[in-house]
Amino acid sequence: MKEYLKVYVEENYKIIKIIGMCFLIGLVVGVIFFGFVNDGIKNEFIGSLKNTLDLSKNNNFESINIIKNGIVANFILLFIIYFCSITLIAPILICMVTFFKSFSIGIYIPIIFNVFGASKGIIVTLLLVVLPNLLYIPAFIFSSTNAIKFHYSLFEKKETGLLFNLMRELMYIFIAFSIIILSVVVEQLVSLNVINM
């Protein structure tokens, strides 16, 4: 596995670097953006998180199924990424999707600090943002990288046929989606502890 990852990173270094930069830029812009929005919008964001936490605390997640919602949302996101891969401007679209995904994570971080305060905010950020994203971000970058590679493979003449390429991509999607589901499960388990803070 280690050897495969090493070869994979070497072969796709440029794509991974671009996707990673888009992700990092989106994250930073999201954090900074929250500081510039007006107080009304900030209060709506903060109120939304507080309402979700209160609802979760009162019903112990019975009315909110994070795992199901996370699986559905990420399935749609992967569908969008691979749909973008069949367009002529796939690399640009996939970079934009990556930027906006990380932008939303970036906005989430200052909201957590506003709701929980500085000391608890650090702990909650580590538990709700950093821990699940240790699995999620590599899987997301893997999916985006493969979608861009798939885009280029559609326009190249190769010895392998289109059916082989599709089967390989389905395998990659399955691997990435499995890791994403694992990150969603981790987020659910951690959320149970966070709602009591």
Side-chain angles (χ1 to χ4, degrees), residues 21-185:
M21 284 176 53
C22 289
F23 202 94
L24 187 63
I25 291 168
L27 196 66
V28 171
V29 170
V31 171
I32 293 170
F33 176 79
F34 185 80
F36 288 103
V37 296
N38 66 42
D39 291 338
I41 295 174
K42 279 184 187 176
N43 291 334
E44 283 187 40
F45 285 148
I46 293 166
S48 176
L49 181 59
K50 283 183 179 177
N51 290 339
T52 303
L53 290 170
D54 290 340
L55 188 63
S56 302
K57 194 181 290 186
N58 294 335
N59 298 325
N60 201 23
F61 284 100
E62 289 175 12
S63 60
I64 301 173
N65 190 337
I66 290 178
I67 294 175
K68 185 185 89 176
N69 293 343
I71 289 171
V72 170
N74 285 295
F75 178 80
I76 292 169
L77 186 62
L78 283 178
F79 175 80
I80 291 169
I81 289 170
Y82 272 90
F83 180 76
C84 291
S85 74
I86 60 172
T87 65
L88 292 175
I89 56 170
I92 295 168
L93 291 177
I94 293 170
C95 285
M96 287 173 61
V97 170
T98 302
F99 174 85
F100 285 113
K101 176 62 182 171
S102 63
F103 179 81
S104 65
I105 295 171
I107 286 178
Y108 186 52
I109 294 169
I111 294 171
I112 288 173
F113 278 92
N114 275 287
V115 171
F116 290 97
S119 59
K120 286 184 181 177
I122 292 171
I123 295 167
V124 173
T125 301
L126 287 172
L127 292 174
L128 282 184
V129 179
V130 175
L131 187 62
N133 282 313
L134 288 175
L135 297 168
Y136 184 84
I137 292 172
F140 182 85
I141 291 174
F142 178 75
S143 298
S144 298
T145 302
N146 288 329
I148 291 174
K149 280 179 55 182
F150 179 66
H151 165 76
Y152 288 123
S153 74
L154 292 175
F155 299 103
E156 291 177 355
K157 286 191 175 180
K158 287 192 168 186
E159 294 175 10
T160 58
L162 182 63
L163 183 62
F164 176 80
N165 286 341
L166 287 173
M167 296 303 288
R168 186 183 63 215
E169 285 309 313
L170 286 174
M171 182 187 71
Y172 289 153
I173 291 169
F174 177 76
I175 291 168
F177 195 60
S178 299
I179 296 169
I180 288 170
I181 289 172
L182 182 61
S183 75
V184 170
V185 170

